[in-house]
Amino acid sequence: MEAIDTGNLRGSGRRREDAAFLAALDQAPLPMWLSDPDYEGTYFNSAWLEFRGRTLDEEIGGGWITGIHPDDLPGLDSYSSALSDGRPFQIEYRLRRHDGVWRWFLDTGKPRLSECGRLIGFIGSCVDITDRHETEAALRCTQARLQLAQEGAALGIYDWDMVEDRITWSPEMFRLYALSPDLGAQGKPDGLIAAWLGRLHPEDRERCALDLQGCLDPNGASQLNMSFRVDHPETGLRWIEGRGRILRDARGRPLRLTGVNFDVTEQREAEVARERAAMMLGMSIEVAAVGTWELDPVSREVVASPRTRALFDMAPDDAPAPMSDYLDRVHPEDREALRAGVLGALKAGGEMARVYRVSGPGNGGETRWVSTRLADGSARMIGAMTDITAAKRHEVEREAELARRQMLLTELNHRMKNNLHLILSMLRLEANRSGQPGSFAAATKRIEAVADLHAQLGFAEGTGRLRFDAYLGDLAEKLRRSALAQTDIRLACEVVPVEIDLDRAVPLEDQLWSNWDGSEPKLKAPAQLVGRNGKNWLIRHNGLHVEIVIDPDHPVGAGDKAGVDRGLRGS
């Protein structure tokens, strides 16, 4: 057959290859090559040249190496010993395609020997393994992400091969239980399971051991779900959830148990906090006698607490009821206003507050007053209500009592006013008859002051209330005119504006203003005891004014007034 001359470009020797052999190489679908003992190419088949987009002359010799990725060239040197020894080899590298794309190839080479056993070169074939490389890279990336997820979520993975009697834990499993990875080095289940049980809380240990043993039973469940506490030596008490799946053979015998463990301590603590908050809220609602309810804006159905249902005379269950059932029990005079308020809150997604009456046979035929507040709870409207019947009843009774007092005080006012005018008229008449009007001046002024006080406690606008600051100012002025007119004493009255109820103001007439006859005044201003002047009067200087305090235990006699005057002048 015809022979073809092939060789390297260095002219180190030539070899005539059989044409039929080379033609067979060209028919191969995989890239193939021939080289001399120095690994320089002597021939590349059609599949190789088509992939590279180059001619045979460009590839033979060392030309083919220009297509190897620079990062993979050092790997070719690692096979130098195999080449020098004439041994088979395999190597992976990236080869540039004619369009510039890099593809991964697995290159397998075998030595070619002459008839006398001398190494005459190598023959090799290349398999495109790009897809495998990309899959492996994706797998490595997935494994890295999984490892990060395990660490971030405190998620441990275990695999118990019962056929091989071997158990494998992920690194996070050892961290979850603060156990040394050395315990799992041999893969023996007994020691690792015993160490795991030793970390469990004593109250959970026996139960978890029984659950684990139960899954090994041929008639056991196909899943293993556990929740338990762990006494972690570094982080204290932790809650762990376990999920596992058991693989069984046809007879139900367990072959493999694979699962995960994860830390749920924060979730459990949040759950306990929510339960405590719900309990406290329930206790507060019960103590405050508050009824609650929820309204579904779509179905217009109400789910109410037992207290709310009792107020509306509804059956004591948790079944939803139409809103109309509740509205039917509202007093006819309040029903439409309540309906409009609820519908308005539903439409606007806002709040509503109403006071209305509820009647029903369950209330003994009595109409109950209810205060309700409705708020938008996103998907549902949430409401609370309180029975205010007692407060309403007290309010009605108070209004009736105020009306009764008003009638009584109106009559007293009329009689008192007439009597005061009669007394003043008699005093003035008597003063004119006596020929000594000055002797009646003090009494006349006192009666006039009482008449003025009575007028201030009158019953025009603001009936039942007294502007106490205005009253005290006027009282001080009348005291100055009636008792201190002939002295150098000046009175300053500074009072914070305040209103007081009439039933508290009336006694002040006796406490703050009594008969002034110069013998035993009973006026007492609250003040701090600082010093004494004379026997019974107490004097205090507050930095701006002199304040007089009369000792309540020692009434001031007529002879003490001069001493008071002297004390005030000297201050």
Side-chain angles (χ1 to χ4, degrees), residues 353-376:
R354 287 287 188 279
V355 174
Y356 53 92
R357 290 162 289 179
V358 175
S359 58
N363 294 324
E366 180 187 15
T367 297
R368 310 291 296 178
W369 281 92
V370 176
S371 175
T372 291
R373 176 172 291 275
L374 181 69
D376 182 11

Side-chain angles (χ1 to χ4, degrees), residues 262-308:
F262 48 96
D263 192 319
V264 294
T265 305
E266 284 72 21
Q267 295 91 315
R268 288 297 293 254
E269 290 176 349
E271 181 181 341
V272 170
R274 285 194 300 269
E275 291 175 354
R276 177 173 177 79
M279 179 190 69
M280 296 299 293
L281 176 61
M283 291 176 61
S284 300
I285 289 175
E286 186 64 26
V287 170
V290 175
T292 59
W293 52 284
E294 295 182 18
L295 172 62
D296 188 326
V298 178
S299 68
R300 301 291 173 85
E301 288 187 328
V302 175
V303 177
S305 68
R307 186 178 297 277
T308 298

Side-chain angles (χ1 to χ4, degrees), residues 110-176:
K110 291 187 177 181
R112 298 176 63 199
L113 303 177
S114 65
E115 294 178 356
C116 62
R118 183 175 59 87
L119 178 66
I120 60 176
F122 291 86
I123 182 172
S125 63
C126 300
V127 178
D128 191 326
I129 58 171
T130 304
D131 292 343
R132 191 196 78 184
H133 258 268
E134 291 176 350
T135 300
E136 290 175 349
L139 179 59
R140 286 192 297 270
C141 183
T142 299
Q143 289 174 336
R145 288 198 298 267
L146 177 60
Q147 182 64 29
L148 287 174
Q150 290 180 29
E151 295 175 359
L155 180 69
I157 299 176
Y158 64 87
D159 179 46
W160 184 3
D161 187 339
M162 300 171 188
V163 176
E164 298 293 333
D165 194 31
R166 183 176 183 83
I167 191 169
T168 304
W169 277 16
S170 70
E172 190 58 32
M173 276 289 287
F174 289 101
R175 283 192 286 270
L176 272 178

Side-chain angles (χ1 to χ4, degrees), residues 453 466 468 471 500 504-513:
L453 172 62
L466 171 68
F468 190 57
Y471 166 69
I500 60 175
R504 296 180 61 189
V506 170
L508 292 174
E509 180 179 0
D510 295 328
Q511 296 178 14
L512 298 178
W513 184 263

Side-chain angles (χ1 to χ4, degrees), residues 149-315:
Q150 290 180 29
E151 295 175 359
L155 180 69
I157 299 176
Y158 64 87
D159 179 46
W160 184 3
D161 187 339
M162 300 171 188
V163 176
E164 298 293 333
D165 194 31
R166 183 176 183 83
I167 191 169
T168 304
W169 277 16
S170 70
E172 190 58 32
M173 276 289 287
F174 289 101
R175 283 192 286 270
L176 272 178
Y177 300 101
L179 294 175
S180 171
D182 295 340
L183 290 172
Q186 303 300 321
K188 296 300 181 181
D190 293 344
L192 202 51
I193 292 175
W196 167 71
L197 286 172
R199 283 283 190 249
L200 269 55
H201 192 280
E203 295 178 3
D204 300 336
R205 192 173 299 148
E206 182 179 357
R207 172 177 55 82
C208 291
L210 292 175
D211 289 344
L212 182 60
Q213 186 62 35
C215 79
L216 304 180
D217 190 281
N219 298 320
S222 60
Q223 291 187 339
L224 176 63
N225 298 325
M226 293 189 294
S227 178
F228 48 87
R229 291 161 293 178
V230 171
D231 289 322
H232 198 287
E234 299 173 1
T235 58
L237 187 68
R238 310 295 295 179
W239 276 96
I240 305 294
E241 293 281 343
R243 300 287 184 270
R245 182 175 295 277
I246 300 99
L247 178 65
R248 302 179 183 276
D249 62 13
R251 300 173 60 182
R253 292 176 300 186
L255 302 176
R256 199 179 202 100
L257 173 60
T258 303
V260 296
N261 283 184
F262 48 96
D263 192 319
V264 294
T265 305
E266 284 72 21
Q267 295 91 315
R268 288 297 293 254
E269 290 176 349
E271 181 181 341
V272 170
R274 285 194 300 269
E275 291 175 354
R276 177 173 177 79
M279 179 190 69
M280 296 299 293
L281 176 61
M283 291 176 61
S284 300
I285 289 175
E286 186 64 26
V287 170
V290 175
T292 59
W293 52 284
E294 295 182 18
L295 172 62
D296 188 326
V298 178
S299 68
R300 301 291 173 85
E301 288 187 328
V302 175
V303 177
S305 68
R307 186 178 297 277
T308 298
R309 298 183 71 87
L311 274 174
F312 282 86
D313 193 28
M314 305 282 284

